[in-house]
Amino acid sequence: MATNRPHRLVGFLESRKNLTGSACGLAGVVLTLTGLAGPYWPVVVAGLYGAGALLAPPERPAPPDFPDPSAQLEEVRGDFGRLRGYLADVELPPAAEERLAGLTGLLAGLLEPGWVAEVLAADPEGLHAVSRAVRQDVPEAVDAYLRTRWWTRLTPGQQPPEAHLERQLALLRGEAERLADRLRDAEARRQESHTRYLEDRSEH
């Protein structure tokens, strides 16, 4: 506890309350030197200091320094590169391979550096959806298939694991397509708004 006292003292000396109170107290000293405070100058100086300290805005802690959307997008892009390296070493049935290629192609288009990625970075929900697909959904679907396929070989006759994998990849592709449609619609609305703005401006 004792080691924190010097830090607290320095913090108080640098606080808005102390600085504002000191400035008001200095004004009281000026009044004293000019003779306006009279014999009650200690009360005037102390009163002005207290009034300044009360009027000062309260201290507030700085908000957390979270990475901005562009930095988050770069992290997701790097993770997507690692995911593609993992998928390159995985052997999947042709139908599942085709569905996976369609999904990863769509994700690659959304993450491609340029204006499309900038639109994605400005959409927190969309960026979260892509991040979840890259970091969780796709690797989990593929890994679960590989694990289940091994067990199916020991106990044949069960539902083929590739059926679940194909269904999962189709669902993920649908989510990615809906996201792309939503981002496209946002750009279309932006274009329409600019048209209306130019039309309204030409009428005046």
Side-chain angles (χ1 to χ4, degrees), residues 37-146:
Y40 301 103
W41 66 267
V43 177
V44 173
V45 172
L48 288 174
Y49 175 88
L54 290 175
L55 292 175
E59 298 289 334
R60 63 177 182 82
D65 186 19
F66 294 121
D68 59 29
S70 60
Q72 296 179 37
L73 185 63
E74 283 297 327
E75 293 179 0
V76 176
R77 189 178 290 129
D79 291 341
F80 181 64
R82 287 188 286 275
L83 174 64
R84 299 186 85 167
Y86 160 73
L87 296 176
D89 296 331
V90 172
E91 182 181 350
L92 299 177
E97 188 72 40
E98 182 179 353
R99 290 180 185 269
L100 181 61
L103 173 59
T104 55
L106 185 52
L107 293 174
L110 291 171
L111 292 171
E112 181 70 22
W115 67 268
V116 175
E118 293 174 0
V119 174
L120 176 62
D123 188 313
E125 293 183 4
L127 183 57
H128 173 71
V130 172
S131 173
R132 182 179 57 196
V134 169
R135 295 169 171 169
Q136 176 181 336
D137 295 334
V138 174
E140 172 64 22
V142 173
D143 185 63
Y145 161 77
L146 296 176

